[in-house]
Amino acid sequence: APGHADSYPFELTFTLEDKARMVDEILKAEGFDDPVIVGQSMGGYLGQMYEELFPEKLKGLFIIDSAPLKREYYTAIELWLLERMEPVYRHYPWKLLLRQGTNGVAETEYGRKLMLSMMMTYDGDQKRYAALAGHGYRILVGAVKSGRAFDIKCPAMLICGTKDHAGSCIRYARNWHKRSGIPLHWIEGAGHNSNTDRPEMINGLIESFLESLRNREQL
């Protein structure tokens, strides 16, 4: 992802729309004409923006532990706080941030080890970690406030862990399913990174989703 790991340094001035256009350029360069996007957390936001910009291209959207981009789902105070998370991450005690960051997104030892490994990329440079996190929240809010419709017209599926305590993801998922009719699968006992807590189950659901798309194409 732009600015993360080996893509650093990368100027953090891009929007979520810019990011989706980057993905489209990559897909075109690699010859993917009929993409199905599987996105977890920020990847779910990216998938929705891609569908908004390129609805004629996207064949399916599989969203894991993410939230809708429609403005109606968010309170004003939630958006206000999200825009101001960078200084929180910058001044939070690093060891405590590591512990809460890993325990807060996964329920299994495997999932927590993966998250810790990712966070340790920024060990000794908390300012950089805070900048990445803060920018991610800001481009999310920017998309929500953009006034775009974000109506998902392609086949889609929502996934959410029953122990996803990242923000209000459970509330968002429940309301998103209720208002849109998009199928929602709850992953029992999984946290925000439910694909690392229950990888076999998530992979099975992805395969079933892809098979349903293949069957749809054959009709």
Side-chain angles (χ1 to χ4, degrees), residues 71-154:
R71 174 65 182 84
E72 65 194 67
Y73 289 94
Y74 297 84
T75 65
I77 189 62
E78 283 175 326
L79 297 178
W80 187 90
L81 289 170
L82 286 171
E83 286 184 300
R84 291 158 176 82
M85 287 303 295
E86 182 174 343
V88 175
Y89 279 82
R90 187 186 304 134
H91 298 293
Y92 214 74
W94 179 244
K95 289 185 178 180
L96 184 58
L97 187 61
L98 283 175
R99 184 165 66 250
Q100 293 185 348
T102 54
N103 293 344
V105 300
E107 296 295 311
T108 62
E109 182 180 0
Y110 173 71
R112 289 174 176 176
K113 282 184 175 180
L114 284 177
M115 185 63 180
L116 178 61
S117 176
M118 183 280 293
M119 292 186 71
M120 286 301 290
T121 303
Y122 310 99
D123 190 38
D125 195 353
Q126 185 172 347
K127 182 179 179 181
R128 179 183 164 201
Y129 180 83
L132 283 169
H135 179 259
Y137 288 124
R138 286 193 299 274
I139 64 174
L140 162 61
V141 174
V144 171
K145 289 183 174 181
S146 69
R148 291 183 179 275
F150 293 114
D151 292 322
I152 298 177
K153 299 180 177 65
C154 66

Side-chain angles (χ1 to χ4, degrees), residues 20 24 27 37 46-54 57-58:
D24 187 57
L27 292 175
I37 289 182
L46 184 59
Q48 291 174 75
M49 180 60 81
Y50 189 92
E51 203 275 345
E52 179 74 12
L53 297 175
F54 309 104
K57 295 183 178 183
L58 195 62

Side-chain angles (χ1 to χ4, degrees), residues 4-211:
H4 292 255
D6 289 342
S7 69
Y8 178 81
F10 199 105
E11 191 171 352
L12 300 180
T13 57
F14 59 88
T15 65
L16 191 61
E17 178 177 337
D18 294 331
K19 201 173 184 181
R21 293 189 185 281
M22 293 177 200
V23 169
D24 187 57
E25 290 299 317
I26 293 170
L27 292 175
K28 286 191 292 186
E30 297 298 329
F32 287 95
D33 299 322
D34 301 304
V36 176
I37 289 182
V38 178
Q40 188 268 341
S41 195
M42 173 57 76
Y45 305 134
L46 184 59
Q48 291 174 75
M49 180 60 81
Y50 189 92
E51 203 275 345
E52 179 74 12
L53 297 175
F54 309 104
E56 74 284 357
K57 295 183 178 183
L58 195 62
K59 299 302 180 183
L61 188 55
F62 191 96
I63 298 176
I64 305 169
D65 299 308
S66 190
L69 287 178
K70 282 180 173 287
R71 174 65 182 84
E72 65 194 67
Y73 289 94
Y74 297 84
T75 65
I77 189 62
E78 283 175 326
L79 297 178
W80 187 90
L81 289 170
L82 286 171
E83 286 184 300
R84 291 158 176 82
M85 287 303 295
E86 182 174 343
V88 175
Y89 279 82
R90 187 186 304 134
H91 298 293
Y92 214 74
W94 179 244
K95 289 185 178 180
L96 184 58
L97 187 61
L98 283 175
R99 184 165 66 250
Q100 293 185 348
T102 54
N103 293 344
V105 300
E107 296 295 311
T108 62
E109 182 180 0
Y110 173 71
R112 289 174 176 176
K113 282 184 175 180
L114 284 177
M115 185 63 180
L116 178 61
S117 176
M118 183 280 293
M119 292 186 71
M120 286 301 290
T121 303
Y122 310 99
D123 190 38
D125 195 353
Q126 185 172 347
K127 182 179 179 181
R128 179 183 164 201
Y129 180 83
L132 283 169
H135 179 259
Y137 288 124
R138 286 193 299 274
I139 64 174
L140 162 61
V141 174
V144 171
K145 289 183 174 181
S146 69
R148 291 183 179 275
F150 293 114
D151 292 322
I152 298 177
K153 299 180 177 65
C154 66
M157 181 178 292
L158 306 177
I159 303 295
C160 188
T162 59
K163 293 188 177 181
D164 185 345
H165 301 305
S168 302
C169 277
I170 288 178
R171 190 191 87 218
Y172 293 140
R174 186 180 293 116
N175 291 340
W176 198 358
H177 164 66
K178 183 177 180 180
R179 296 182 190 183
S180 70
I182 299 174
L184 168 62
H185 287 265
W186 294 102
I187 308 303
E188 189 64 38
H192 184 63
N193 295 0
S194 61
N195 51 309
T196 68
D197 279 342
R198 298 289 185 271
E200 296 84 1
M201 181 178 292
I202 300 298
N203 289 343
L205 288 169
I206 293 172
E207 287 294 337
S208 296
F209 182 67
L210 293 174
E211 185 61 30

